[in-house]
Amino acid sequence: MNNYLFTSESVTEGHPDKIADLVSDSIAYYLINENESHRAAIETMVSSNMVTIAGEVKTDLMDNKDSIEKLVRETIKKIGYEQENFHWNTLSFKNLIHSQSVDIARSTDNFGAGDQGMMFGYACSENDSFMPSAIYYSHKITKSLSVARHNGQDWMGPDGKAQVTVEYSDVNEPVRISNIICSTQHSEDLKDNPDEVQRRVEKIIKPELNGMFDNNTIFQVNPTGNFITGGPDGDTGVTGRKIIVDTYGGYAPHGGGAFSGKDCTKVDRSGAYMARYLAKNIVASGVSQNATIQLSYAIGVKEPVSLYVYCDGKVRNDISDWIYQNIDLTPLGIIRKFNLFKLDLTETTNYGHFGKDHLAWENTDMVNQLNF
């Protein structure tokens, strides 16, 4: 087989879309308040010195709108936005959140699925995180940039992104990183010194690459030359626009539903977590080198409409039959298994919802049961 290339991207916590995701997750977590009867579906838009939130909720905490505004401002302050045209203290704020539809509430009060839809999970044997390599290294780069900025490298602004191209010799056999594109917002005093920005960025990110780069790897930093105007002043951000960043970097299918801002009766979130759990356990058990799981649901209905298991190029009905018989795939079953109403949703917002060992759906406690 001839070698081939595959590319994925990640973004930093200060990317406009990720600001929107984090605001939505922060508000949803606050309004859910670990109460299984509460519901939230929060959308956020950020632009030049403004934040607008909207959505539907069922909660006893909506009356205190000042607390929500304070939470939004604190969230943006924590990211580090104190720019002239996007400042946590001076931005304009609009709250358009309203009560959940009675029709939707009727379907989810008894923990039927919060919506129809399909969701996918994926895992592979390429590294210890069981994630595809391109998105794995993209996240490592963007996280390292944010950590460096918070640790004193204040020449960087909050906004940034990375794109990694991995060369493969075969499916799930990464050989090397061929290209890295990294854009990071920087201070104005570096506008005439792109080589210095490149040197500083490479010094931060290269230790994260586990020796996967070589002398032929191409590093491109800030390809436009400068990146001074960043964040929502340079680009509007909206909740749910980084769903590929949140999952598998395009290496596996995506059902189309976003995660951020949603309580876990929304199977866009909880179903995707279960699908990842199943896929990871299949690969960790040694059954296959890669596994793709699809689940689908109907709104208000507890049991999934379908379950599909695809491993190493083959449909595995034997595994799907076993899962049906042994795993609770209802929204409430998933919520209880992963304790999702206790989950701090903001822990999932940045650098992917998968591949982080401390998250419950990354547990491989099922591997000894899979004897196929």
Side-chain angles (χ1 to χ4, degrees):
M1 184 177 184
N2 294 329
N3 286 16
Y4 63 93
L5 304 175
F6 191 87
T7 301
S8 298
E9 72 162 357
S10 178
V11 298
T12 65
E13 62 180 351
H15 186 282
D17 293 330
K18 275 299 159 193
I19 300 170
D21 282 346
L22 187 60
V23 168
S24 291
D25 278 333
S26 298
I27 295 169
Y29 180 58
Y30 167 74
L31 294 177
I32 293 166
N33 197 32
E34 300 187 2
N35 187 324
E36 288 191 357
S37 68
H38 287 182
R39 303 288 182 266
I42 308 298
E43 309 293 344
T44 301
M45 182 180 75
V46 297
S47 190
S48 293
N49 224 34
M50 63 81 71
V51 175
T52 298
I53 62 172
E56 306 79 46
V57 299
K58 180 185 176 185
T59 178
D60 55 16
L61 296 173
M62 260 307 292
D63 290 339
N64 195 349
K65 294 188 177 181
D66 289 343
S67 294
I68 295 175
E69 180 173 351
K70 181 180 179 182
L71 176 60
V72 171
R73 294 186 185 277
E74 288 177 346
T75 299
I76 293 168
K77 181 181 181 180
K78 187 175 181 180
I79 295 171
Y81 272 104
E82 295 185 337
Q83 298 175 182
E84 181 179 352
N85 292 318
F86 194 74
H87 194 297
W88 64 270
N89 193 38
T90 62
L91 61 81
S92 64
F93 175 74
K94 183 176 288 189
N95 183 345
L96 302 177
I97 295 174
H98 59 86
S99 296
Q100 185 183 53
S101 157
V102 173
D103 294 332
I104 295 176
R106 186 183 304 115
S107 69
T108 63
D109 283 348
N110 66 350
F111 291 95
D115 202 351
Q116 71 176 47
M118 65 282 190
M119 48 284 328
F120 287 89
Y122 179 79
C124 62
S125 58
E126 294 181 23
N127 50 64
D128 291 342
S129 73
F130 294 88
M131 291 289 288
S133 293
I135 190 67
Y136 173 74
Y137 288 109
S138 294
H139 286 324
K140 286 173 73 69
I141 289 172
T142 51
K143 186 174 182 179
S144 71
L145 293 174
S146 292
V147 169
R149 178 173 59 85
H150 283 296
N151 287 341
Q153 300 220 32
D154 55 4
W155 59 272
M156 280 192 291
D159 196 357
K161 63 198 317 183
Q163 182 174 295
V164 176
T165 300
V166 175
E167 180 180 342
Y168 284 83
S169 61
D170 205 341
V171 176
N172 300 133
E173 295 292 338
V175 176
R176 57 186 286 271
I177 293 172
S178 67
N179 295 75
I180 293 175
I181 303 169
C182 188
S183 297
T184 182
Q185 188 183 5
H186 60 81
S187 57
E188 192 164 358
D189 62 300
L190 288 167
K191 69 178 181 180
D192 296 321
N193 200 348
D195 290 342
E196 176 63 15
V197 174
Q198 174 129 0
R199 185 192 70 79
R200 294 183 187 186
V201 168
E202 287 191 29
K203 185 177 180 180
I204 293 168
I205 69 175
K206 281 183 175 179
E208 304 297 322
L209 303 178
N210 299 340
M212 284 289 287
F213 66 95
D214 55 33
N215 291 333
N216 294 317
T217 299
I218 298 171
F219 288 83
Q220 294 172 277
V221 176
N222 289 358
T224 64
N226 282 318
F227 187 2
I228 297 168
T229 301
D233 188 36
D235 187 14
T236 299
V238 181
T239 301
R241 205 156 56 182
K242 287 292 175 282
I243 58 176
I244 301 303
V245 172
D246 286 345
T247 52
Y248 307 102
Y251 202 85
H254 195 295
F259 300 158
S260 287
K262 297 177 181 178
D263 72 79
C264 292
T265 66
K266 309 293 190 297
V267 284
D268 287 331
R269 187 190 278 270
S270 53
Y273 293 169
M274 175 54 79
R276 163 63 177 177
Y277 168 77
L278 295 172
K280 184 176 181 180
N281 274 269
I282 289 169
V283 176
S285 72
V287 170
S288 65
Q289 284 191 302
N290 61 71
T292 301
I293 305 290
Q294 187 200 56
L295 288 165
S296 71
Y297 291 86
I299 188 168
V301 179
K302 296 179 181 180
E303 296 291 341
V305 173
S306 66
L307 166 65
Y308 166 83
V309 179
Y310 187 76
C311 299
D312 291 344
K314 296 180 180 179
V315 177
R316 294 295 300 268
N317 289 332
D318 55 334
I319 300 178
S320 59
D321 289 344
W322 184 92
I323 292 170
Y324 267 129
Q325 295 168 16
N326 292 276
I327 305 297
D328 188 344
L329 300 176
T330 65
L332 184 58
I334 299 170
I335 287 166
R336 294 282 167 80
K337 179 171 183 60
F338 301 138
N339 206 13
L340 293 179
F341 272 86
K342 299 287 186 181
L343 173 68
D344 182 347
L345 303 181
T346 66
E347 291 186 5
T348 66
T349 311
N350 292 300
Y351 318 116
H353 288 243
F354 308 117
K356 301 172 181 175
D357 287 343
H358 69 283
L359 297 174
W361 49 92
E362 295 294 319
N363 195 312
T364 53
D365 57 0
M366 199 174 72
V367 292
N368 294 328
Q369 303 174 55
L370 295 170
N371 298 311
F372 293 94

